[in-house]
Amino acid sequence: MEKIGEDALVVFSGGQDSTTCLFWALARFRKVMAVTFDYGQRHKAEIDCARRIAADLGVEHQVLDMALLNQLAPNSLTRMDIPVDEAIPDGKSTPNSYVEGRNMLFLTFAAIVAKTHGIRHIVTGVCETDFSGYPDCRDVFVKSLNVTLNLAMDYQFVLHTPLMWLDKAQTWGLADSLGRLDYVRRRTLTCYNGIPGDGCGHCPACTLRRQGLNNYLASRKSC
């Protein structure tokens, strides 16, 4: 695959989706940076996981302090005394793991970092196909924010969402096509309870991840 002669910035949590996006970006862009946000999240171990992966891959990595978001948006991912809903989100209601304004703030601050480094391309792992009731994961939101960022900073950003129309099985398939399925499975942290790899097995993030992997492996066997 011929690389684009430009650099990219990946919004990177150290989880399955963002790590797959990181590999996707590394395969396409000349140079890749990663930015992670510390907002006092329940699964704070993901920050250390992101650091380890970035160091392992030789990717320049920056962690930004977003503690104010923790103060403004109390929910099960920012408060230890609020249990995470274990039911799989139905997409019709907003689960208590939704952090108000998170992706809007993350992408805005990522754009600021990107512009200071002369980077136009920003990659994020948001996905509408496996929609969990998070309004800031929708394609219409990303496209709208892309226009807003361009106008606000007078800069031609391009927000890339390689997972937008993929379900979890197809996301595993993308990692596999990049030759990184085992790496993503064993080195990433998706679990809301902070357990790496296959995780706790019962939080919504782990359930979706496991179902997607099982579906992908089953489809690969049937081919």
Side-chain angles (χ1 to χ4, degrees):
M1 178 184 300
E2 185 176 352
K3 291 192 176 185
I4 298 172
E6 294 188 57
D7 300 344
L9 178 71
V10 177
V11 177
F12 185 53
S13 71
Q16 173 195 355
D17 292 345
S18 67
T19 303
T20 301
C21 286
L22 182 61
F23 284 124
W24 180 89
L26 286 168
R28 282 164 174 75
F29 294 96
R30 178 179 57 196
K31 180 183 176 183
V32 175
M33 288 181 57
V35 62
T36 299
F37 299 96
D38 181 354
Y39 59 99
Q41 55 265 56
R42 183 191 199 105
H43 47 308
K44 197 167 185 175
E46 71 177 13
I47 299 172
D48 292 330
C49 183
R51 285 193 175 104
R52 287 194 297 269
I53 293 173
D56 184 49
L57 300 178
V59 171
E60 183 178 348
H61 181 226
Q62 185 171 355
V63 178
L64 296 185
D65 181 0
M66 299 288 288
L68 182 59
L69 182 59
N70 183 286
Q71 298 175 41
L72 295 174
N75 62 84
S76 64
L77 294 193
T78 60
R79 297 291 186 275
M80 294 301 293
D81 59 345
I82 302 177
V84 178
D85 289 336
E86 294 199 356
I88 295 295
D90 57 12
K92 298 176 182 177
S93 58
T94 304
N96 74 352
S97 56
Y98 170 59
V99 183
E100 295 283 358
R102 179 173 58 175
N103 285 337
M104 179 175 66
L105 289 175
F106 285 4
L107 288 169
T108 299
F109 278 85
I112 295 170
V113 174
K115 187 176 180 183
T116 62
H117 286 82
I119 296 172
R120 294 192 313 116
H121 299 274
I122 300 172
V123 183
T124 177
V126 298
C127 170
E128 187 168 329
T129 302
D130 275 332
F131 185 59
S132 296
Y134 295 1
D136 57 0
C137 287
R138 294 175 297 173
D139 185 60
V140 65
F141 158 72
V142 175
K143 285 183 167 58
S144 173
L145 185 61
N146 199 154
V147 173
T148 298
L149 291 173
N150 290 1
L151 291 171
M153 299 190 206
D154 193 22
Y155 198 69
Q156 291 302 306
F157 293 108
V158 181
L159 300 188
H160 298 268
T161 55
L163 309 184
M164 181 59 74
W165 305 114
L166 304 184
D167 61 24
K168 272 292 181 284
Q170 292 168 323
T171 298
W172 283 111
L174 176 58
D176 198 12
S177 72
L178 294 166
R180 296 294 189 165
L181 187 146
D182 286 340
Y183 189 103
V184 171
R185 180 175 183 180
R186 305 192 186 285
R187 301 288 292 273
T188 63
L189 194 159
T190 303
C191 176
Y192 287 160
N193 292 310
I195 302 173
D198 291 335
C200 70
H202 56 78
C203 76
C206 284
T207 302
L208 285 171
R209 174 177 166 133
R210 183 181 64 252
Q211 288 177 350
L213 178 61
N214 290 342
N215 289 340
Y216 173 66
L217 294 177
S219 68
R220 193 170 64 172
K221 286 180 181 177
S222 65
C223 293

